[in-house]
Amino acid sequence: MKLVRYGNPGKEKPGLIDADGKLRDLSGVVPDIGPQQLGAPGLAKLRKANPARLPLVRGKPRFGCPVNGVGKFIAIGLNYADHAAESGVPIPKEPVVFMKATSCIQGPNDPVMLPRGSTKTDWEVELGVVIGSRARYVPMVKALAHVAGYAVINDVSEREYQLERGPQWDKGKGCDTFGPIGPWLVTPDEIANVQRLDMWLDVNGQRMQAGNTRTMIFNVAKLVSYVSHFMTLLPGDVITTGTPPGVGLGMKPPTYLKKGDVVTLGIEGLGEQRQEVVAFKA
Ligand code: ZN
């Protein structure tokens, strides 16, 4: 299934994308797509709904983040060998874990706002993993059973705040609008192999990032297992799994986003995002 939430911010309704790519309203089946719907019983209920009998949604409504009520927004740093190299740091021996503030989460096509005074706002296309059931000290072989689905994420990052304002990254990762998620939450049965997905990101139509999840240093199963040894993962938690090479920080000279830029990005089977970059507004 490709699950979505559509409508104005804060007023999103649950929906799904049918086999013809049409948007269908799920609000007669479930009140929302959130932690209550992401476990095996919740997904089974959604699976029973016959898409052809759900109301068709006309027009082109905005998409919100496909999961409401994300409790933790966990991020993995330097998880692609080439990206570690362009960042000028060694390949990590263990996953680098940091947090993005949940207040940065937004829809996939909502504008990205430069933080006040920012000169180093950067892009990162990433595979997002949405947790469906409680996971605590799970072994790798059982880790993927806790995954409700996958989504495209742009791990927008302010490099000065991240790297020049202290030893830990969170300051540059959780600014408002820095967490576009979606358009779809795609359940694992639709993905033949999550470690073989092409991913890309363009700025103003120019290809900046082109990668594939096969070059992750730590794969999805490892990451879910690993993080679950440090914190209990709960339904609706999101793990964003790192970015391939081609970020602005790695360019010579480094190149960052400015007002009016348009960022487009996508992952095979998971859909596409589009964000216009806008100036700071209080
Ligand atoms: Zn990242």
Side-chain angles (χ1 to χ4, degrees):
M1 289 182 292
K2 294 186 174 79
L3 300 170
V4 300
R5 296 173 63 253
Y6 67 94
N8 291 331
K11 301 249 187 328
E12 291 94 344
K13 291 171 139 189
L16 64 74
I17 306 295
D18 70 17
D20 298 324
K22 295 200 172 88
L23 173 57
R24 302 276 180 167
D25 179 14
L26 270 175
S27 58
V29 181
V30 285
D32 205 345
I33 306 291
Q36 302 297 322
Q37 286 75 39
L38 296 176
L43 291 177
K45 182 178 178 185
L46 289 171
R47 241 178 261 289
K48 279 200 207 114
N50 178 357
R53 302 187 67 155
L54 297 170
L56 199 58
V57 180
R58 315 247 166 225
K60 294 235 174 251
R62 165 190 173 270
F63 286 118
C65 171
V67 180
N68 194 20
V70 175
K72 293 195 286 298
F73 192 0
I74 301 152
I76 306 300
L78 306 171
N79 196 31
Y80 288 76
D82 294 355
H83 173 61
E86 77 177 344
S87 303
V89 296
I91 290 172
K93 291 193 184 69
E94 292 191 48
V96 173
V97 178
F98 62 94
M99 304 294 280
K100 283 175 78 75
T102 53
S103 49
C104 80
I105 292 172
Q106 65 169 4
N109 305 315
D110 294 341
V112 164
M113 184 178 72
L114 300 170
R116 188 161 65 185
S118 163
T119 59
K120 296 185 179 177
T121 295
D122 203 348
W123 54 84
E124 296 190 347
V125 59
E126 303 199 1
L127 172 73
V129 177
V130 178
I131 300 297
S133 57
R134 187 173 184 272
R136 182 169 173 266
Y137 296 100
V138 289
M140 256 181 92
V141 290
K142 293 194 174 160
L144 293 182
H146 293 273
V147 173
Y150 300 100
V152 180
I153 295 183
N154 188 355
D155 176 18
V156 184
S157 305
E158 216 293 348
R159 301 302 185 193
E160 183 198 347
Y161 302 177
Q162 178 192 349
L163 301 168
E164 301 170 36
R165 304 286 292 273
Q168 156 305 2
W169 295 358
D170 293 18
K171 279 181 268 185
K173 293 288 192 171
C175 307
D176 290 348
T177 76
F178 274 23
I181 302 180
W184 312 323
L185 172 65
V186 180
T187 50
D189 54 288
E190 297 219 358
I191 306 289
N193 184 347
V194 75
Q195 302 301 152
R196 289 288 182 282
L197 301 179
D198 282 328
M199 53 208 302
W200 56 274
L201 181 145
D202 294 350
V203 178
N204 302 327
Q206 190 185 341
R207 183 65 33 107
M208 298 297 186
Q209 294 189 274
N212 187 289
T213 56
R214 92 170 84 81
T215 66
M216 281 186 185
I217 298 167
F218 305 105
N219 67 21
V220 172
K222 171 70 186 180
L223 292 174
V224 170
S225 168
Y226 182 86
V227 173
S228 83
H229 285 67
F230 297 95
M231 61 191 90
T232 299
L233 294 170
L234 298 171
D237 286 352
V238 174
I239 305 175
T240 190
T241 58
T243 201
V247 300
L249 173 71
M251 297 175 70
K252 295 188 175 36
T255 304
Y256 297 110
L257 294 171
K258 55 190 187 314
K259 181 184 152 190
D261 284 346
V262 173
V263 183
T264 46
L265 58 148
I267 300 180
E268 192 181 349
L270 301 184
E272 297 182 13
Q273 302 187 349
R274 179 189 188 277
Q275 295 114 27
E276 185 180 346
V277 178
V278 299
F280 177 78
K281 212 171 91 198

